[in-house]
C-alpha cells in the first residue's frame, strides 16, 4: 500500500498565540517537502465555529472548517493552540 499524507488539524481560538499554530504548520510543511511525493502531512485549521480567530497580538487567522466538521477518525494528529489567555477560552 502506498504511503499517504497524515491528516493534521490545528485548532485555533480567539486570544491564542498564533505562533502555537503557525510554528507547527511550518514545521509540518517543511517535513512534507523533504519527504516528497504522497508522504508527509495535510494540514487544516479548525476553529469553534469555522470563522477566523484573532490571536493575542490582534492578527487574524482564517479557518478551513469548524470543529463540528472535523471527523475524529479521519484525523491522525490534532494540535490545539495555547497562550496566556487559554483560561478564557476554556471557560
Amino acid at each position: 500500500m502506498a504511503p499517504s499524507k497524515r491528516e493534521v488539524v490545528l485548532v485555533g481560538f480567539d486570544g491564542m498565540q498564533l505562533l502555537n499554530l503557525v510554528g507547527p504548520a511550518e514545521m509540518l510543511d517543511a517535513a512534507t517537502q523533504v519527504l516528497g511525493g504522497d508522504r508527509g502531512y495535510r494540514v487544516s485549521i479548525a476553529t469553534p465555529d469555522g470563522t477566523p480567530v484573532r490571536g493575542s497580538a490582534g492578527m487574524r487567522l482564517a479557518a478551513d472548517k469548524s470543529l463540528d466538521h472535523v471527523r475524529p477518525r479521519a484525523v491522525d494528529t490534532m494540535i490545539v493552540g495555547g497562550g496566556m489567555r487559554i483560561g478564557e477560552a476554556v471557560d
Side-chain angles (χ1 to χ4, degrees), residues 30-84:
T32 300
Q33 290 180 48
V34 169
L35 291 169
D38 291 332
R39 298 168 40 197
Y41 303 91
R42 183 175 298 109
V43 178
S44 62
I45 298 172
T47 62
D49 58 5
T51 61
V53 293
R54 191 169 298 280
S56 60
M59 293 190 303
R60 291 173 44 130
L61 179 69
D64 297 305
K65 59 183 124 186
S66 72
L67 284 173
D68 289 341
H69 289 101
V70 173
R71 297 181 336 189
R73 291 189 177 168
V75 176
D76 295 300
T77 303
M78 182 175 278
I79 299 172
V80 180
M84 301 298 289

Side-chain angles (χ1 to χ4, degrees), residues 17-34:
Q17 290 179 319
L18 293 182
L19 183 59
N20 285 279
L21 292 189
V22 174
E26 291 292 339
M27 182 272 309
L28 292 166
D29 178 61
T32 300
Q33 290 180 48
V34 169

